[in-house]
Every structure is written in structure tokens, then in C-alpha cells.
Amino acid sequence: MAAYLQWRRFVFFDKELVKEPLGNDGAAPGAAPASGSAASKFLCLPPGITVCDSGRGSLVFGDMEGQIWFLPRSLQLTGFQAYKLRVTHLYQLKQHNILASVGEDEEGINPLVKIWNLEKRDGGNPLCTRIFPAIPGTEPTVVSCLTVHENLNFMAIGFTDGSVTLNKGDITRDRHSKTQILHKGNYPVTGLAFRQAGKTTHLFVVTTENVQSYIVSGKDYPRVELDTHGCGLRCSALSDPSQDLQFIVAGDECVYLYQPDERGPCFAFEGHKLIAHWFRGYLVIVSRDRKVSPKSEFTSRDSQSSDKQILNIYDLCNKFIAYSAVFEDVVDVLAEWGSLYVLMRDGRVHALQEKDTQTKLEMLFKKNLFEMAINLAKSQHLDSDGLAQIFMQYGDHLYSKGNHDGAVQQYIRTIGKLEPSYVIRKFLDAQRIHNLTAYLQTLHRQSLANADHTTLLLNCYTKLKDSSKLEEFIKTKSESEVHFDVETAIKVLRQAGYYSHALYLAENHAHHEWYLKIQLEDIKNYQEALRYIGKLPFEQAESNMKRYGKILMHHIPEQTTQLLKGLCTDYRSSLEGRCDREVPGCRANSEEFIPIFANNPRELKAFLEHMSEVQPDSPQGIYDTLLELRLQNWAHEKDPQVKEKLHAEAISLLKSGRFCDVFDKALVLCQMHDFQDGVLYLYEQGKLFQQIMHYHMQHEQYRQVITVCERHGEQDPSLWEQALSYFARKEEDCKEYVAAVLKHIENKNLMPPLLVVQTLAHNSTATLSVIRDYLVQKLQKQSQQIAQDELRVRRYREETTRIRQEIQELKASPKIFQKTKCSICNSALELPSVHFLCGHSFHQHCFESYSESDADCPTCLPENRKVMDMIRAQEQKRDLHDQFQHQLKCSNDSFSVIADYFGRGVFNKLTLLTDPPTARLTPSLEAGLQRDLLMHSRRGT
């Protein structure tokens, strides 16, 4: 039970008398009067009003004359005659323009129920769709209350004899409606109300002595007895959904609230209750200010009617009295157009207009009633911005009073709306660090903190040395529960010396770089850092080894080298274990890690040799660095045996075939370290025979010079010439080597004899005996060549003479063809046949099968074609002056080049006539003769 004596009273409603409208413009009820003589008079209702209701934009009244009046918002009062005698009850539906009324058309107890459709007219009046008697049985009784369900399917009528009738079906039509007695009792029924919950419809029934509910939407209408306390007429109402549609019963001692199956809370509002209504979340009660002793509830209002009455408007949710005023002779209180209207017995109407929310809040702020203001704002569904403003003002009030704990709790409620810096500045004092910590914690829990807030909160923890709170803050179960910037937290914890906490955050939130920084730079735990890198995924392990590899190599070289070997061959993080070995791992570019070994040559060598053995397709930089490292070790080694071993390793690496594309680089490395065997090997691989020869000449290694010429002379014949020139310049006895060179020059005919003599003339020790055999053999060969050339010339001359004779005979004498066999098939020659001037004869079918053209002999054609090709080649090369000059300059035997070009006819004139003028006709005569012979052979005999 809640006592209202402690409830605060406020004036949240404005009261004024309703005035008549000005002209036809229809001012709203409660409007301020105009100034001057045109001011409106107060509105006055017709006398004799007995019953009131409201809805659908109008106030509805019934009087003792049987008339029903309507007062719309324009305050233009209209009415019609509904009953002949009087109107006793009205019920205006809120969702339909239907009005239900109870009245009397004749004397006696015979009340009639009439249903009016206000949208339809009948002779200017609303259409009455149904009339039926209200008495449930044969015994006359007076109607005490009336209610209608908004779905028009239920209507309940209460009587003074304690009975209740239920009309089920369409209440606007007789044929679709069924009337039955729902309840019988010994006490007058004082109130009825329907409550809809889903598909279930309840009917509350209250009498002067009890409260009960029925389920009318099903069969058998089960009843529940709710209480043994009742109330008077018009002292019950149904709340809105804000109070869960509870049934309100206003007794003299308390106000009770009921659910369909149980009693709810009650409020000790004293006073004799006359009227109870529910209005927009408020409970409106009219009561007398002092107790009276009426004989019954029905006569108590008439006795001592001159006593003053108190109208109270209660906010049950926030527990305060929103308005309280004293009135005289209140007929009823109606709610319409967002206001309350109090009807007085003298016909005047008072309007109670609720103040706006902001005005009510300002009234509460002035009295520092912030808690009440917060509750009011929530009940009025004020937006979050408005609530945050109230919380801020409440917090400021508490802060000014020195209640910092309470203030910070209010500021916490503003998070998300109020700028955090406004609150933080108030609690930066060291004595208020606990309050600041609480605010920052909530800010982080709502994921609204930035990096500065995280820094400040962690500094608060470290200042307070509250390790438990710090661990609770950072050790979240999942990533979704993290409400702060992890990187900022790591920085702050590291700066404050909380390395273990910083490492926990870095490891659990995959901030690998920060984890390694703390391990390497702060804790100096190199083993743990290397272990951590080993369990990272490949990309992250690779990047961190590039960043921290030098530090790790300096302190733990062997372990670091092992990790690098795995990283560059077949890397699998330690978390993967040995599973999935069939799946190939990742491998990094080993060349990129060479700088890590800058001061660790021993580990570098082990790494490079491992990569070259395990991964033959390693980058070229691996082999280049390995070669350089081996050459350095070879150059600085003093022990002959070790030096020999290093020498073999370097040569083996050079012969591995990995330096074909970087020949120059390998050569430079060998030259820098004076590795001669490597230099010679690379010269040979690069076909730099001149350099090999030059090297041996510099070192006066005569036998090696001859050996180089023998090995590579076929590819570069000029080596023999250089060798001869080299030995010719030597003053010491080199006859043996000169003889060997001359022998090869002679065999390959590499130099003219005159040039050989001129070359050896520079050697003072070289005598004629050195080249005597060479000259003798050379002269003998030339003599033999001359004899062969002369013989060939004679043969050509004889052949030329013979051919000329044959040509002359062909020109001057007839040609007799005496061949008896075909030159192709060697069969007896038969007609038709083909004969050629060359003396060959063919069957015509053999000739056509084997000949390529009609003018050429198939037997002579191959030889003739060779001759013609030689002639055409000579003609094409006649004008090749540039080519001739080039060969003449480059050749060691210029005479041979000139003779060759003479033989080709290069130096002949374009028109050289050696025969008489008649010889010009020779080709045409010869061709004509051949055509005649061919035609003759085809005709046959």
C-alpha cells in the first residue's frame, strides 16, 4: 500500500473557464478571452444535465428532458430529442461513431437501450439502428451502469438489483445479437469495463461490496472473485497500456488496481470518492474534503451538495500529484481534445490543460527534484538527448553539493550524449581519481572511449596500483569484449613498467611488433622473442625476422640461424607442429636475410651452404655471397692443407654452373682475391681465349701458351698468330715453340709466308734455320699448286676449243640424229620421238614424264643448271665493291682475294664484245634451231 501523504504536489495543469466562441471562427476551448468589449462570455451548458461522456471529437450530454447534446471543438452546441422523458446513461465509443444510450419514454421503471449511428441522419437527427428494453427479466429494476466493447460485439448493462446482462453479437442489429444474464448478486452494480488481451475478452464487474471478472469471449463465462471491497457509482475506470490495462476501483480508504485474475497494487488516497477517471497516464479522482454519513452510495452525492469537492490528478507511475484544486458541485470530468473538462452543476465548464514536458521539467529543476524529473521524462518518452541533459544537470547539482560519488553516477548515464571531456575535467584532482576511474570504465564498456581515454584510465590504474582492476580490464575472454584501443593500452603499460600486462595484451591481440619490442628492448629476453617469432604465421615471421634479425643474431646466433634456415626452406610455425607434412610449407627469399649475418661470417657460411644444398634453386645472391665468403677465407688462410681444401671448394662452386648469368661478377670476385685458377676457368667458360693467352704470356708460361693455342685454335685461329708474334719478340731461345707454331700455321694456312718472315725478323735469336723447313715446304706446295693450275688452264682451253668447234658445226652443218635407244629408258627408240642438239633422244612419253621444260634436255639439265647458277652468282657479285674492299683489308692473302674476284669477272666491263657483230644473232639462231628440231620430232614420220 502506497500512502499519498508523502507525494509532492505540483501544478502541471492550467485551469480556466471555457468561454463561448467569437463569431463563427470557432475558438478552441480554453482560449484566452479577447480584450475590450468584444470579450466572450463564459460557456454555459443547458440545465438538467444528468449524464455525460466524450469521444469522437465531442462532449456528449443527456438531460432530464430526454435530449442528447453534442459540444464539438467549435463549441457550437447541438442536440436532438432521444427520449420522451429522460436520459439516464450514455456511452460514446472511441473507435466508432456509435453512441449507446439508456433512457425512458414512459413513466415507470421501463428503461430502453438505443443505439445511435452518428454518421447517418434520419430527419436531421442521428439514425437509431436498434431499440430494446434493458430489463433482464420480468421484474422492473433500474439501470446503474453501461459499457460497450470497441469491437461492437459486446455490451454489458448493470442494474441496482445486482444483475448484469450481456449482449453478445452485433449490438447495432437485433437479429445478430443475443442477450443473456451474466451475473446475479445482492449488491448494486456500480461499474463495468471490458478488457481485451489478445483474443481473450474480460469483463470487470464491481458492486458496492465486491470486484470480480468474467471471461466473455469463450463458453460458460468463468468468473474470478478479485476482492471483497467495492465502490460507488462512477468510481471505477480502466487504465491505459502504461498501467497494463488494470481495472481501477476507487474506494473511500484506498484505490485498488486489478488484473483479470488477481489484485494489483493499491494506493491510500483518503476521502470519500465521487468520480474516478483515467486520462493519459493520470488517475483523476473527485472526492469530498470531509467525511459524511450517507445512507447509501446513491444518495451520498445529493446530501450536503453544497460541500466543496477536491479534484486530484495522480501520477501513479512517478508517485506525485500533478494537480489539485477545489470545485463546487462537480457533475463529471470528461477528457477530450487532449484536455480535461470539469462540468459544474451551474452549467459552467472548467478546462484543465496539461503543461508541456519542458515546462514541467523546469518546475522540477527549480526545486532540485532531479530524480522525479528523470522519472517524469521517461514516462513522457522524452528522447535520449533530453534525458542526458537532465542527467547532466543532476550531476552538476550533486557535484556542487560535494556528492562526487552520486555525481559521477549521473554523469555515467550521459555517456554517448555528453562530451566526456566535460566530466573528465571535473575529476582530474588526485582525490577524485576513484570517480574518474569509474566513469572511464563505463565509457570503455560502452565502446565509446578513444585512445586518450584509454591512456587516462590505465594511468589511473597504475597510480592507484590496482593490479586486480587492471587485470580485469585487460584480460577479456574474447575479441568482441575489448572496449579499448589495444595498441594505446600496450604503450601506456609499457611506459608505466607493467611489462607482463603489456605482453599479455600484445600476445592475445596479435600485436606482434609490440610484443617483440618489449621482449627485446625492455626485458632483453631474446630466447622468448625468438620462440614467439617461431610460432607466428609465415608472413609475420618473415617481416619480424627482417626487422629484429640483427639483434637476435648478435645475442643468440645459432638459434637465429636455425630459424632462418627453416624460414627459407620449408617453414611451418611451431603451433602447426608436425601435422600436414605432405602439404608444402612456405619459404622466404633467403637472399633478403644475408645482411643479418654482417658480423657473423661463420653462421653466414653455414646458412649459405645449407641453402645451396637443400634448395639448389636459391636466388643468385646466395651463390654470389657464398663464393665471396669462400674466396675471402681462402685468401686469408695460412695453413696449406686448409687452404687447399678451401681452394677446392671455391673451384667446385664455380663449376656448379650457377654463375653463367653473372659471369662478370664472379670474375671480378676472383680477380679481387687473386684467385688465378678461378680467373682462368671463367675465361675459358666465357670463351675469352685472348685473355687466357695474355695471362700465360704475362707469366711467361710458354708451354701453356702452346696448349691454349692447341685447345682453342680451332675457335680462334688468331691465337697462333699472337703466339708467333709473342715468341718472335722473345730474346731467349724459343726455337722449339716457334717451330710448333709454324707447323700449325702451315697446316692451317693461317698466314702468308712473307708475313711470317716479317714477324720473325724482330727476333734477333731467330736464324734462317728456324723457318727453313717452313719456307721449303711452303714453296713446294705453291709449286704444286701452280702446276695444278696450269694443267687446269690447258684443260679448260681444250674444252673451250672443242665446244667452239661444235657450235660452228651446228651453225654450218646439218645434225644427224642416229640414236637408236631412248636416253631415259634405254629401250628401242620409236616414233614419236624427241631429239636434242646435244645428241640425246627420247620417247615422247618419256620426255614428257621426266622433262621440266620443253626447251631443256633432261639428261644435260643438271649440269647446265650448275653452270648457269655459277654464272648468275658471278654476275650478282660483280658490283660488290664494299664486300671486296672489306675482304681485301681483312684477308692475310690479298692476292688470293684479287684473283678470286678476277675469276668472277668483277673487273670485266659491262659490254665486252670478243666476237664479230654477227655473233649477236647466235643465241636466237640456236634457239630457233632447237625449236625446229623439237617440232620435227613431234610430228613424226
Side-chain angles (χ1 to χ4, degrees):
M1 181 181 295
Y4 83 102
L5 297 178
Q6 298 177 355
W7 287 18
R8 289 182 175 269
R9 297 175 181 267
F10 300 98
V11 183
F12 287 165
F13 286 79
D14 294 324
K15 169 188 170 185
E16 58 184 333
L17 280 170
V18 178
K19 302 174 180 59
E20 292 182 353
L22 294 173
N24 296 325
D25 55 357
S35 61
S37 59
S40 299
K41 297 180 180 179
F42 294 120
L43 179 67
C44 188
L45 298 178
I49 291 178
T50 58
V51 64
C52 310
D53 203 358
S54 63
R56 306 294 295 178
S58 298
L59 303 182
V60 186
F61 312 107
D63 61 11
M64 295 297 293
E65 303 296 330
Q67 286 189 317
I68 295 179
W69 300 90
F70 295 95
L71 183 66
R73 193 179 183 89
S74 61
L75 303 182
Q76 300 293 334
L77 190 64
T78 59
F80 71 97
Q81 190 73 37
Y83 292 90
K84 296 179 180 179
L85 295 181
R86 66 183 66 86
V87 180
T88 59
H89 296 84
L90 291 175
Y91 191 91
Q92 173 67 56
L93 277 79
K94 305 299 184 291
Q95 299 178 12
H96 302 276
N97 210 0
I98 301 295
L99 175 66
S101 63
V102 179
E104 298 176 1
D105 281 342
E106 55 187 16
E107 294 293 340
I109 303 176
N110 187 22
L112 291 177
V113 179
K114 295 184 179 182
I115 308 299
W116 307 90
N117 188 338
L118 303 181
E119 293 180 348
K120 298 180 179 180
R121 315 302 290 180
D122 182 14
N125 296 329
L127 175 64
C128 181
T129 61
R130 184 184 178 190
I131 303 176
F132 63 92
I135 297 175
T138 57
E139 296 181 3
T141 182
V142 177
V143 175
S144 59
C145 53
L146 168 71
T147 187
V148 182
H149 198 287
E150 289 293 334
N151 63 11
L152 300 178
N153 287 325
F154 298 100
M155 181 171 64
I157 304 174
F159 299 90
T160 58
D161 64 354
S163 61
V164 177
T165 62
L166 176 67
N167 286 267
K168 195 172 182 180
D170 189 352
I171 65 169
T172 62
R173 299 181 182 180
D174 288 323
R175 67 178 62 182
H176 296 101
S177 180
K178 179 181 179 181
T179 303
Q180 55 187 322
I181 299 175
L182 178 67
H183 171 77
K184 288 185 177 181
N186 300 322
Y187 306 103
V189 177
T190 57
L192 298 170
F194 286 106
R195 181 184 188 272
Q196 188 71 36
K199 295 183 179 180
T200 303
T201 305
H202 294 88
L203 174 64
F204 288 101
V205 178
V206 58
T207 68
T208 57
E209 300 296 331
N210 55 37
V211 181
Q212 49 206 326
S213 69
Y214 290 87
I215 299 177
V216 298
S217 55
K219 296 181 179 180
D220 300 332
Y221 309 126
R223 182 178 69 90
V224 177
E225 185 80 23
L226 298 177
D227 208 342
T228 57
H229 300 282
C231 65
L233 286 172
R234 299 188 299 171
C235 291
S236 62
L238 189 69
S239 68
D240 58 19
S242 66
Q243 285 290 335
D244 198 20
L245 296 174
Q246 297 184 92
F247 186 58
I248 301 171
V249 175
D252 288 345
E253 301 297 331
C254 295
V255 174
Y256 300 93
L257 277 66
Y258 297 93
Q259 294 284 355
D261 54 353
E262 62 180 354
R263 192 179 80 175
C266 66
F267 300 90
F269 300 149
E270 296 181 354
H272 180 62
K273 312 301 187 300
L274 301 177
I275 300 172
H277 284 291
W278 187 264
F279 169 69
R280 295 172 62 176
Y282 294 109
L283 175 61
V284 181
I285 292 181
V286 179
S287 60
R288 283 200 179 93
D289 59 351
R290 62 187 183 88
K291 294 183 179 180
V292 296
S293 300
K295 293 182 180 181
S296 69
E297 294 292 336
F298 300 96
T299 59
S300 61
R301 292 187 307 275
D302 296 331
S303 62
Q304 301 179 4
S305 59
S306 61
D307 291 344
K308 293 184 178 180
Q309 301 165 351
I310 299 176
L311 183 145
N312 288 322
I313 302 177
Y314 299 97
D315 188 331
L316 301 183
C317 180
N318 299 311
K319 293 182 173 54
F320 63 80
I321 301 175
Y323 183 77
S324 182
V326 177
F327 293 90
E328 293 182 0
D329 290 337
V330 176
V331 175
D332 207 343
V333 179
L334 302 178
E336 194 65 28
W337 311 309
S339 301
L340 286 172
Y341 295 92
V342 183
L343 277 62
M344 310 304 295
R345 186 71 61 185
D346 58 4
R348 292 182 299 170
V349 180
H350 292 274
L352 300 179
Q353 179 69 37
E354 186 179 9
K355 299 179 184 293
D356 60 87
T357 303
Q358 191 59 39
T359 302
K360 292 187 286 187
L361 291 176
E362 290 176 358
M363 296 171 63
L364 294 174
F365 293 157
K366 291 179 180 179
K367 298 181 179 181
N368 295 327
L369 299 175
F370 293 98
E371 286 288 354
M372 192 170 289
I374 293 169
N375 295 331
L376 176 63
K378 290 180 178 179
S379 64
Q380 298 289 329
H381 304 292
L382 195 66
D383 59 13
S384 57
D385 293 333
L387 284 172
Q389 187 68 24
I390 299 174
F391 295 143
M392 184 194 73
Q393 294 186 35
Y394 191 18
D396 292 344
H397 170 72
L398 294 176
Y399 184 87
S400 63
K401 297 294 184 181
N403 185 1
H404 299 131
D405 294 338
V408 78
Q409 293 303 317
Q410 298 306 317
Y411 289 135
I412 286 174
R413 301 169 78 176
T414 66
I415 291 177
K417 300 298 180 181
L418 182 63
E419 177 61 35
S421 59
Y422 175 84
V423 180
I424 292 172
R425 283 195 297 267
K426 292 179 176 291
F427 296 98
L428 286 178
D429 191 349
Q431 297 178 352
R432 302 167 190 166
I433 193 170
H434 294 281
N435 303 124
L436 179 59
T437 303
Y439 179 81
L440 292 173
Q441 283 177 338
T442 309
L443 194 66
H444 282 80
R445 278 195 292 269
Q446 297 186 18
S447 300
L448 296 174
N450 57 29
D452 294 332
H453 300 148
T454 302
T455 302
L456 187 57
L457 177 58
L458 292 174
N459 284 328
C460 289
Y461 285 140
T462 55
K463 294 291 184 184
L464 294 172
K465 299 186 183 301
D466 193 347
S467 298
S468 60
K469 284 287 186 181
L470 179 59
E471 291 182 2
E472 181 184 354
F473 177 72
I474 66 174
K475 293 185 178 181
T476 54
K477 295 181 180 179
S478 64
E479 188 71 25
S480 60
E481 296 179 7
V482 177
H483 304 292
F484 56 89
D485 182 66
V486 176
E487 186 171 359
T488 301
I490 294 173
K491 291 179 182 178
V492 175
L493 293 172
R494 183 190 181 197
Q495 185 177 4
Y498 285 77
Y499 299 127
S500 61
H501 296 79
L503 287 174
Y504 174 85
L505 283 178
E507 183 174 7
N508 281 272
H509 297 281
H511 287 265
H512 311 305
E513 182 178 354
W514 282 107
Y515 184 92
L516 294 172
K517 275 186 178 181
I518 297 171
Q519 289 284 14
L520 296 174
E521 298 176 10
D522 300 324
I523 304 178
K524 311 293 184 183
N525 191 346
Y526 304 105
Q527 293 283 358
E528 181 61 27
L530 188 65
R531 182 199 63 80
Y532 185 81
I533 294 176
K535 68 179 184 179
L536 294 178
F538 170 74
E539 292 81 3
Q540 296 166 353
E542 180 186 19
S543 62
N544 282 291
M545 280 306 297
K546 290 178 182 178
R547 184 177 293 110
Y548 303 109
K550 287 186 178 181
I551 300 176
L552 294 170
M553 183 62 67
H554 177 71
H555 292 89
I556 45 174
E558 294 183 2
Q559 296 90 327
T560 305
T561 303
Q562 285 299 119
L563 180 58
L564 286 174
K565 288 179 181 178
L567 188 64
C568 297
T569 52
D570 187 19
Y571 177 78
R572 288 180 175 85
S573 68
S574 59
L575 295 179
E576 296 178 7
R578 298 186 176 272
C579 60
D580 297 333
R581 285 295 178 183
E582 297 180 358
V583 180
C586 301
R587 64 183 187 183
N589 185 354
S590 51
E591 186 178 2
E592 297 176 355
F593 296 97
I594 293 177
I596 294 175
F597 299 89
N599 299 318
N600 300 79
R602 184 169 61 88
E603 285 75 16
L604 175 59
K605 182 180 179 183
F607 174 73
L608 296 175
E609 290 177 348
H610 173 80
M611 294 306 302
S612 62
E613 293 173 3
V614 177
Q615 188 176 318
D617 59 342
S618 295
Q620 184 61 41
I622 293 294
Y623 292 93
D624 295 344
T625 309
L626 181 59
L627 176 61
E628 182 178 3
L629 192 61
R630 288 182 175 179
L631 291 176
Q632 286 179 355
N633 295 339
W634 173 84
H636 294 90
E637 184 59 49
K638 302 300 182 182
D639 189 346
Q641 294 182 353
V642 178
K643 194 176 186 72
E644 182 64 26
K645 181 181 179 182
L646 295 174
H647 179 278
E649 291 178 352
I651 289 296
S652 175
L653 183 58
L654 286 173
K655 292 182 178 180
S656 64
R658 297 294 307 183
F659 299 93
C660 299
D661 297 332
V662 289
F663 169 82
D664 295 339
K665 187 173 183 179
L667 182 60
V668 170
L669 289 174
C670 292
Q671 290 174 343
M672 287 174 56
H673 297 88
D674 197 21
F675 190 62
Q676 299 300 332
D677 291 346
V679 172
L680 292 175
Y681 173 78
L682 292 173
Y683 280 161
E684 184 175 355
Q685 293 299 310
K687 301 186 183 304
L688 301 177
F689 308 129
Q690 302 287 342
Q691 283 78 358
I692 300 176
M693 177 77 77
H694 181 67
Y695 172 79
H696 292 306
M697 289 178 179
Q698 282 184 330
H699 294 79
E700 297 185 353
Q701 298 173 349
Y702 302 150
R703 176 55 56 190
Q704 283 78 2
V705 171
I706 298 300
T707 302
V708 172
C709 292
E710 290 175 349
R711 292 178 60 184
H712 308 298
E714 293 293 335
Q715 302 177 54
D716 189 357
S718 64
L719 295 176
W720 292 102
E721 300 176 16
Q722 294 181 21
L724 180 62
S725 177
Y726 169 71
F727 290 124
R729 290 192 299 271
K730 291 296 180 181
E731 296 298 330
E732 55 190 84
D733 189 5
C734 299
K735 294 181 180 180
E736 177 185 356
Y737 306 111
V738 172
V741 174
L742 288 176
K743 182 179 179 180
H744 191 85
I745 291 176
E746 178 186 357
N747 293 335
K748 298 297 182 179
N749 194 22
L750 299 177
M751 295 176 64
L754 182 58
L755 185 58
V756 173
V757 173
Q758 290 176 351
T759 302
L760 292 176
H762 296 289
N763 192 338
S764 59
T765 62
T767 60
L768 186 59
S769 61
V770 176
I771 62 172
R772 181 180 59 188
D773 294 340
Y774 168 76
L775 293 176
V776 170
Q777 292 177 5
K778 195 68 176 177
L779 291 174
Q780 288 176 353
K781 288 184 178 180
Q782 289 184 353
S783 298
Q784 294 174 0
Q785 184 67 35
I786 290 172
Q788 292 175 0
D789 291 343
E790 290 177 349
L791 180 61
R792 192 179 296 111
V793 169
R794 285 196 300 270
R795 188 170 62 249
Y796 286 163
R797 285 177 178 173
E798 292 174 357
E799 184 70 20
T800 303
T801 302
R802 184 183 62 79
I803 293 174
R804 285 179 177 175
Q805 290 177 356
E806 290 181 0
I807 294 173
Q808 186 63 31
E809 289 177 358
L810 290 173
K811 291 179 179 180
S813 303
K815 179 68 174 179
I816 299 174
F817 300 101
Q818 297 178 346
K819 286 277 187 177
T820 59
K821 291 184 178 181
C822 177
S823 298
I824 294 178
C825 65
N826 289 327
S827 300
L829 198 62
E830 297 178 356
L831 295 177
S833 59
V834 180
H835 305 277
F836 284 90
L837 294 176
C838 61
H840 297 100
S841 298
F842 309 93
H843 292 116
Q844 185 176 354
H845 63 273
C846 292
F847 173 76
E848 291 176 350
S849 300
Y850 288 93
S851 65
E852 296 182 6
S853 67
D854 294 341
D856 296 322
C857 173
T859 304
C860 300
L861 181 60
E863 189 66 26
N864 292 340
R865 183 173 292 169
K866 293 180 182 179
V867 176
M868 294 303 295
D869 290 342
M870 293 173 60
I871 294 174
R872 281 193 294 269
Q874 289 179 357
E875 290 177 351
Q876 291 175 359
K877 295 180 180 179
R878 284 181 179 179
D879 296 331
L880 301 179
H881 177 71
D882 293 339
Q883 184 178 358
F884 168 71
Q885 292 292 336
H886 177 71
Q887 293 185 7
L888 189 62
K889 291 180 180 179
C890 297
S891 175
N892 295 324
D893 189 358
S894 302
F895 181 77
S896 299
V897 176
I898 295 173
D900 180 51
Y901 275 84
F902 262 110
R904 297 180 188 176
V906 175
F907 300 104
N908 295 342
K909 292 183 178 180
L910 294 176
T911 56
L912 181 61
L913 300 177
T914 57
D915 295 329
T918 56
R920 298 180 182 177
L921 300 176
T922 300
S924 60
L925 290 173
E926 184 176 344
L929 182 60
Q930 289 184 353
R931 284 196 299 273
D932 293 340
L933 291 173
L934 182 62
M935 295 300 295
H936 175 71
S937 65
R938 287 184 177 178
R939 291 191 190 102
T941 54

